[in-house]
Amino acid sequence: VATASSRPKVLSGEMHGGNWYVVGGKSYLAHLFEDAGADYFMQNDNESGGFYVDFESVYSQGANADFWRIVNSFDGEFTYQALQQTDPRYADFKAFKEKQIIYCSLRNKPFYENTPVEPEVVLADLIKAFHPELLPDHTPVYYEVLK
């Protein structure tokens, strides 16, 4: 995506049991965001694995992210209203306010089963979300911007 005119910032994850699971700036996911033309909100972290942080830490670094990636197995239709009901503070995030959440439903899509052998599809989905003008004919397979 060298021709992209901007590099949006992207937040990932959500609260579980009072903590937010994130992966470090040297992780596969961080590199995937970079390849898709975006900057991961934890890009300056030197970890390659995942770890838990508190809400305040995520908020201070990710509240102004342009996009928010969420992968979960929500029971029912996952909407902005459903997300806000899980934690009202989510409505304060820029990506929530501007309806820029990139979502993958684990109930409806074989994400963990297929994406290890289809990294090009995952990358195309993310490029389509971050820079839709670069892949106008791509139909998302795993990730879509939540309506």
Side-chain angles (χ1 to χ4, degrees):
V1 294
T3 60
S5 60
S6 65
R7 292 192 63 85
K9 185 175 181 179
V10 60
L11 167 70
S12 183
E14 56 187 317
M15 293 286 289
H16 294 284
N19 290 301
W20 198 300
Y21 183 79
V22 299
V23 293
K26 304 296 183 209
S27 66
Y28 174 79
L29 184 61
H31 287 290
L32 191 58
F33 289 148
E34 181 181 352
D35 290 346
D39 294 326
Y40 179 49
F41 85 113
M42 296 287 292
Q43 72 182 12
N44 295 326
D45 179 87
N46 289 323
E47 295 292 323
S48 60
F51 51 94
Y52 288 98
V53 294
D54 59 34
F55 179 87
E56 292 75 16
S57 296
V58 171
Y59 188 81
S60 70
Q61 295 179 59
N64 290 317
D66 303 293
F67 289 90
W68 181 358
R69 172 204 174 253
I70 298 175
V71 175
N72 68 27
S73 55
F74 188 80
D75 188 18
E77 183 182 0
F78 191 72
T79 63
Y80 285 90
Q81 182 180 8
L83 180 61
Q84 186 175 2
Q85 287 176 347
T86 63
D87 193 319
R89 299 175 293 182
Y90 288 160
D92 293 333
F93 286 81
K94 176 183 176 185
F96 183 98
K97 291 176 186 176
E98 296 183 0
K99 303 226 181 307
Q100 294 293 324
I101 292 179
I102 301 167
Y103 181 63
C104 176
S105 169
L106 296 176
R107 288 188 180 270
N108 300 323
K109 304 193 181 197
F111 182 80
Y112 289 118
E113 296 83 358
N114 292 355
T115 60
V117 295
E118 294 184 331
E120 75 285 0
V121 176
V122 176
L123 181 61
D125 284 0
L126 292 173
I127 293 169
K128 178 71 173 189
F130 300 142
H131 305 286
E133 72 282 0
L134 298 179
L135 293 177
D137 297 328
H138 176 71
T139 300
V141 175
Y142 300 105
Y143 292 113
E144 295 184 60
V145 177
L146 192 62
K147 304 282 185 227

